[in-house]
Amino acid sequence: RVVNLCQEPLVLTFKSRHKEGMTTTVHPTGSDWKSLDEWILPNFAEALVVARCSGAGGAAPAPNSLELPLDRGQGAVEVPGLGAFAELLTPHPSHRLLVLGSTLRVHNRTDVPMILRFHSAPPGHTIHAVQLEQTIECGADLFGYAPPSCSASSRFTGCEPDAQRGPGLLLKPNALCAVPQAVLLPDTQQPAAQQALAQQQQAWVSVRPAVAGSSFCHPFSVSARGWGPATTS
């Protein structure tokens, strides 16, 4: 299976000793995952590479990523020129999941739909003008995440969604989103050994329940290290 949580289509090219020229384009999917069985199983594909779509008007082909082996349960390669990754996961023994998008994700583990906004660099008071497509959000069950087993409720449980929610991304209960590449910032507090993979794994966000009358919280940072309040240097 593959889900594309980027905001643009990407090209997959499969590597096999038995057949060449196996290429398919994966458009943004959200939760509507696509099967890759027809490319992998009949042709014994061993690896794949990922690239952005080539520009129009005879532009040079976009460079490919490094090869991502398919015989392992996990792995990741960076998509050149995009800042996103192709990450192979095994959320269930019955299948593997190829995730196209940033490796920094926000997961809504509450029972209330949330509105998510992205902000500029710290202290993060300016709302980022990036266009947010709903296809960067998908059900977390695809990643093997179930809703919390404990019974939880809040004063917003059962409220009608806000029809005039304004700009922002709607993040449903037990859904996650891949943070768009356009809002990722360098995480200067990452150890040097991790900088190659996580150098753009920080973003500033604010959230509010998707119900009328609710307000956004103060911006806070999310990164591979976790989350923290907005602070000035």
Side-chain angles (χ1 to χ4, degrees), residues 186-207:
D187 184 1
T188 57
Q189 297 186 42
Q190 275 284 359
Q194 299 179 25
Q195 277 291 321
L197 185 63
Q199 60 183 347
Q200 291 184 310
Q201 295 299 286
Q202 184 182 35
W204 291 81
V205 303
S206 62
V207 297

PDB file of all heavy atoms in Angstrom, residues 186-207:
ATOM      1  N   PRO A 186      14.607  24.112  10.476  1.00  0.00           N
ATOM      2  CA  PRO A 186      15.694  23.334  11.085  1.00  0.00           C
ATOM      3  C   PRO A 186      15.511  23.222  12.589  1.00  0.00           C
ATOM      4  O   PRO A 186      15.144  24.183  13.264  1.00  0.00           O
ATOM      5  CB  PRO A 186      16.944  24.160  10.729  1.00  0.00           C
ATOM      6  CG  PRO A 186      16.543  24.998   9.573  1.00  0.00           C
ATOM      7  CD  PRO A 186      15.088  25.292   9.749  1.00  0.00           C
ATOM      8  N   ASP A 187      15.742  22.040  13.104  1.00  0.00           N
ATOM      9  CA  ASP A 187      15.686  21.806  14.546  1.00  0.00           C
ATOM     10  C   ASP A 187      17.107  21.860  15.074  1.00  0.00           C
ATOM     11  O   ASP A 187      17.833  20.876  15.058  1.00  0.00           O
ATOM     12  CB  ASP A 187      15.033  20.453  14.837  1.00  0.00           C
ATOM     13  CG  ASP A 187      14.854  20.195  16.330  1.00  0.00           C
ATOM     14  OD1 ASP A 187      15.234  21.091  17.120  1.00  0.00           O
ATOM     15  OD2 ASP A 187      14.353  19.131  16.699  1.00  0.00           O
ATOM     16  N   THR A 188      17.511  23.029  15.548  1.00  0.00           N
ATOM     17  CA  THR A 188      18.904  23.252  15.939  1.00  0.00           C
ATOM     18  C   THR A 188      19.296  22.504  17.203  1.00  0.00           C
ATOM     19  O   THR A 188      20.479  22.402  17.526  1.00  0.00           O
ATOM     20  CB  THR A 188      19.164  24.748  16.150  1.00  0.00           C
ATOM     21  OG1 THR A 188      18.242  25.248  17.138  1.00  0.00           O
ATOM     22  CG2 THR A 188      18.944  25.515  14.846  1.00  0.00           C
ATOM     23  N   GLN A 189      18.313  21.949  17.929  1.00  0.00           N
ATOM     24  CA  GLN A 189      18.631  21.235  19.157  1.00  0.00           C
ATOM     25  C   GLN A 189      18.817  19.735  18.941  1.00  0.00           C
ATOM     26  O   GLN A 189      19.074  18.995  19.881  1.00  0.00           O
ATOM     27  CB  GLN A 189      17.538  21.471  20.206  1.00  0.00           C
ATOM     28  CG  GLN A 189      17.410  22.924  20.621  1.00  0.00           C
ATOM     29  CD  GLN A 189      16.432  23.102  21.761  1.00  0.00           C
ATOM     30  OE1 GLN A 189      16.404  22.334  22.700  1.00  0.00           O
ATOM     31  NE2 GLN A 189      15.591  24.127  21.659  1.00  0.00           N
ATOM     32  N   GLN A 190      18.676  19.276  17.683  1.00  0.00           N
ATOM     33  CA  GLN A 190      18.901  17.869  17.397  1.00  0.00           C
ATOM     34  C   GLN A 190      20.387  17.537  17.528  1.00  0.00           C
ATOM     35  O   GLN A 190      21.239  18.329  17.119  1.00  0.00           O
ATOM     36  CB  GLN A 190      18.444  17.521  15.975  1.00  0.00           C
ATOM     37  CG  GLN A 190      16.965  17.198  15.871  1.00  0.00           C
ATOM     38  CD  GLN A 190      16.658  15.812  16.413  1.00  0.00           C
ATOM     39  OE1 GLN A 190      17.527  15.080  16.843  1.00  0.00           O
ATOM     40  NE2 GLN A 190      15.399  15.455  16.411  1.00  0.00           N
ATOM     41  N   PRO A 191      20.745  16.377  18.084  1.00  0.00           N
ATOM     42  CA  PRO A 191      22.150  15.953  18.098  1.00  0.00           C
ATOM     43  C   PRO A 191      22.713  15.899  16.694  1.00  0.00           C
ATOM     44  O   PRO A 191      22.002  15.603  15.731  1.00  0.00           O
ATOM     45  CB  PRO A 191      22.087  14.553  18.729  1.00  0.00           C
ATOM     46  CG  PRO A 191      20.823  14.550  19.523  1.00  0.00           C
ATOM     47  CD  PRO A 191      19.861  15.426  18.754  1.00  0.00           C
ATOM     48  N   ALA A 192      23.995  16.186  16.550  1.00  0.00           N
ATOM     49  CA  ALA A 192      24.619  16.261  15.226  1.00  0.00           C
ATOM     50  C   ALA A 192      24.461  14.969  14.454  1.00  0.00           C
ATOM     51  O   ALA A 192      24.291  14.980  13.231  1.00  0.00           O
ATOM     52  CB  ALA A 192      26.097  16.603  15.379  1.00  0.00           C
ATOM     53  N   ALA A 193      24.474  13.836  15.139  1.00  0.00           N
ATOM     54  CA  ALA A 193      24.373  12.541  14.453  1.00  0.00           C
ATOM     55  C   ALA A 193      23.031  12.355  13.792  1.00  0.00           C
ATOM     56  O   ALA A 193      22.880  11.549  12.876  1.00  0.00           O
ATOM     57  CB  ALA A 193      24.617  11.408  15.443  1.00  0.00           C
ATOM     58  N   GLN A 194      22.006  13.110  14.240  1.00  0.00           N
ATOM     59  CA  GLN A 194      20.673  12.949  13.686  1.00  0.00           C
ATOM     60  C   GLN A 194      20.312  14.051  12.701  1.00  0.00           C
ATOM     61  O   GLN A 194      19.231  14.054  12.146  1.00  0.00           O
ATOM     62  CB  GLN A 194      19.637  12.927  14.823  1.00  0.00           C
ATOM     63  CG  GLN A 194      19.822  11.785  15.802  1.00  0.00           C
ATOM     64  CD  GLN A 194      18.784  11.818  16.907  1.00  0.00           C
ATOM     65  OE1 GLN A 194      17.695  12.363  16.737  1.00  0.00           O
ATOM     66  NE2 GLN A 194      19.116  11.235  18.040  1.00  0.00           N
ATOM     67  N   GLN A 195      21.217  15.012  12.479  1.00  0.00           N
ATOM     68  CA  GLN A 195      20.879  16.160  11.652  1.00  0.00           C
ATOM     69  C   GLN A 195      20.579  15.782  10.209  1.00  0.00           C
ATOM     70  O   GLN A 195      19.746  16.394   9.582  1.00  0.00           O
ATOM     71  CB  GLN A 195      22.028  17.173  11.690  1.00  0.00           C
ATOM     72  CG  GLN A 195      22.006  18.087  12.902  1.00  0.00           C
ATOM     73  CD  GLN A 195      20.847  19.058  12.869  1.00  0.00           C
ATOM     74  OE1 GLN A 195      20.506  19.583  11.815  1.00  0.00           O
ATOM     75  NE2 GLN A 195      20.216  19.269  13.999  1.00  0.00           N
ATOM     76  N   ALA A 196      21.231  14.758   9.653  1.00  0.00           N
ATOM     77  CA  ALA A 196      21.033  14.422   8.244  1.00  0.00           C
ATOM     78  C   ALA A 196      19.588  14.077   7.956  1.00  0.00           C
ATOM     79  O   ALA A 196      19.040  14.459   6.934  1.00  0.00           O
ATOM     80  CB  ALA A 196      21.941  13.263   7.856  1.00  0.00           C
ATOM     81  N   LEU A 197      18.937  13.347   8.869  1.00  0.00           N
ATOM     82  CA  LEU A 197      17.566  12.923   8.637  1.00  0.00           C
ATOM     83  C   LEU A 197      16.553  13.891   9.217  1.00  0.00           C
ATOM     84  O   LEU A 197      15.453  14.020   8.704  1.00  0.00           O
ATOM     85  CB  LEU A 197      17.346  11.535   9.260  1.00  0.00           C
ATOM     86  CG  LEU A 197      15.980  10.886   9.012  1.00  0.00           C
ATOM     87  CD1 LEU A 197      15.789  10.640   7.509  1.00  0.00           C
ATOM     88  CD2 LEU A 197      15.855   9.579   9.780  1.00  0.00           C
ATOM     89  N   ALA A 198      16.901  14.603  10.262  1.00  0.00           N
ATOM     90  CA  ALA A 198      15.914  15.409  10.984  1.00  0.00           C
ATOM     91  C   ALA A 198      16.210  16.898  10.941  1.00  0.00           C
ATOM     92  O   ALA A 198      15.709  17.640  11.758  1.00  0.00           O
ATOM     93  CB  ALA A 198      15.853  14.944  12.441  1.00  0.00           C
ATOM     94  N   GLN A 199      17.004  17.356   9.988  1.00  0.00           N
ATOM     95  CA  GLN A 199      17.397  18.748   9.989  1.00  0.00           C
ATOM     96  C   GLN A 199      16.227  19.687   9.692  1.00  0.00           C
ATOM     97  O   GLN A 199      16.317  20.882   9.973  1.00  0.00           O
ATOM     98  CB  GLN A 199      18.518  18.978   8.970  1.00  0.00           C
ATOM     99  CG  GLN A 199      18.125  18.634   7.534  1.00  0.00           C
ATOM    100  CD  GLN A 199      19.275  18.806   6.581  1.00  0.00           C
ATOM    101  OE1 GLN A 199      20.287  19.395   6.938  1.00  0.00           O
ATOM    102  NE2 GLN A 199      19.155  18.304   5.383  1.00  0.00           N
ATOM    103  N   GLN A 200      15.127  19.172   9.149  1.00  0.00           N
ATOM    104  CA  GLN A 200      13.975  20.026   8.880  1.00  0.00           C
ATOM    105  C   GLN A 200      12.731  19.497   9.606  1.00  0.00           C
ATOM    106  O   GLN A 200      11.629  19.571   9.090  1.00  0.00           O
ATOM    107  CB  GLN A 200      13.701  20.101   7.379  1.00  0.00           C
ATOM    108  CG  GLN A 200      14.766  20.863   6.604  1.00  0.00           C
ATOM    109  CD  GLN A 200      14.414  21.007   5.135  1.00  0.00           C
ATOM    110  OE1 GLN A 200      14.071  20.052   4.476  1.00  0.00           O
ATOM    111  NE2 GLN A 200      14.493  22.211   4.632  1.00  0.00           N
ATOM    112  N   GLN A 201      12.957  18.975  10.790  1.00  0.00           N
ATOM    113  CA  GLN A 201      11.868  18.326  11.488  1.00  0.00           C
ATOM    114  C   GLN A 201      11.336  19.133  12.658  1.00  0.00           C
ATOM    115  O   GLN A 201      11.198  18.644  13.766  1.00  0.00           O
ATOM    116  CB  GLN A 201      12.323  16.935  11.949  1.00  0.00           C
ATOM    117  CG  GLN A 201      12.633  15.994  10.805  1.00  0.00           C
ATOM    118  CD  GLN A 201      11.414  15.737   9.930  1.00  0.00           C
ATOM    119  OE1 GLN A 201      10.506  15.018  10.304  1.00  0.00           O
ATOM    120  NE2 GLN A 201      11.408  16.340   8.757  1.00  0.00           N
ATOM    121  N   GLN A 202      11.049  20.413  12.431  1.00  0.00           N
ATOM    122  CA  GLN A 202      10.433  21.247  13.438  1.00  0.00           C
ATOM    123  C   GLN A 202       9.405  22.154  12.783  1.00  0.00           C
ATOM    124  O   GLN A 202       9.585  22.607  11.659  1.00  0.00           O
ATOM    125  CB  GLN A 202      11.481  22.094  14.172  1.00  0.00           C
ATOM    126  CG  GLN A 202      10.890  22.929  15.307  1.00  0.00           C
ATOM    127  CD  GLN A 202      11.936  23.792  15.983  1.00  0.00           C
ATOM    128  OE1 GLN A 202      12.859  24.286  15.337  1.00  0.00           O
ATOM    129  NE2 GLN A 202      11.805  23.989  17.281  1.00  0.00           N
ATOM    130  N   ALA A 203       8.309  22.384  13.469  1.00  0.00           N
ATOM    131  CA  ALA A 203       7.278  23.295  12.975  1.00  0.00           C
ATOM    132  C   ALA A 203       6.594  23.937  14.173  1.00  0.00           C
ATOM    133  O   ALA A 203       6.647  23.421  15.294  1.00  0.00           O
ATOM    134  CB  ALA A 203       6.260  22.559  12.101  1.00  0.00           C
ATOM    135  N   TRP A 204       5.942  25.062  13.921  1.00  0.00           N
ATOM    136  CA  TRP A 204       5.203  25.777  14.962  1.00  0.00           C
ATOM    137  C   TRP A 204       3.716  25.711  14.626  1.00  0.00           C
ATOM    138  O   TRP A 204       3.302  26.041  13.511  1.00  0.00           O
ATOM    139  CB  TRP A 204       5.696  27.218  15.056  1.00  0.00           C
ATOM    140  CG  TRP A 204       7.087  27.276  15.606  1.00  0.00           C
ATOM    141  CD1 TRP A 204       8.249  27.076  14.924  1.00  0.00           C
ATOM    142  CD2 TRP A 204       7.450  27.489  16.965  1.00  0.00           C
ATOM    143  NE1 TRP A 204       9.324  27.167  15.773  1.00  0.00           N
ATOM    144  CE2 TRP A 204       8.866  27.428  17.030  1.00  0.00           C
ATOM    145  CE3 TRP A 204       6.718  27.750  18.135  1.00  0.00           C
ATOM    146  CZ2 TRP A 204       9.562  27.596  18.229  1.00  0.00           C
ATOM    147  CZ3 TRP A 204       7.421  27.935  19.319  1.00  0.00           C
ATOM    148  CH2 TRP A 204       8.820  27.848  19.360  1.00  0.00           C
ATOM    149  N   VAL A 205       2.921  25.283  15.576  1.00  0.00           N
ATOM    150  CA  VAL A 205       1.501  25.046  15.326  1.00  0.00           C
ATOM    151  C   VAL A 205       0.658  25.645  16.446  1.00  0.00           C
ATOM    152  O   VAL A 205       1.142  25.918  17.546  1.00  0.00           O
ATOM    153  CB  VAL A 205       1.190  23.523  15.208  1.00  0.00           C
ATOM    154  CG1 VAL A 205       2.022  22.875  14.123  1.00  0.00           C
ATOM    155  CG2 VAL A 205       1.403  22.826  16.538  1.00  0.00           C
ATOM    156  N   SER A 206      -0.617  25.829  16.153  1.00  0.00           N
ATOM    157  CA  SER A 206      -1.634  26.120  17.169  1.00  0.00           C
ATOM    158  C   SER A 206      -2.871  25.321  16.799  1.00  0.00           C
ATOM    159  O   SER A 206      -3.109  25.025  15.626  1.00  0.00           O
ATOM    160  CB  SER A 206      -1.948  27.619  17.263  1.00  0.00           C
ATOM    161  OG  SER A 206      -2.480  28.103  16.027  1.00  0.00           O
ATOM    162  N   VAL A 207      -3.664  24.948  17.787  1.00  0.00           N
ATOM    163  CA  VAL A 207      -4.843  24.112  17.559  1.00  0.00           C
ATOM    164  C   VAL A 207      -6.021  24.653  18.354  1.00  0.00           C
ATOM    165  O   VAL A 207      -5.859  25.388  19.341  1.00  0.00           O
ATOM    166  CB  VAL A 207      -4.582  22.637  17.962  1.00  0.00           C
ATOM    167  CG1 VAL A 207      -3.489  22.022  17.127  1.00  0.00           C
ATOM    168  CG2 VAL A 207      -4.244  22.537  19.447  1.00  0.00           C
TER     169      VAL A 207
END
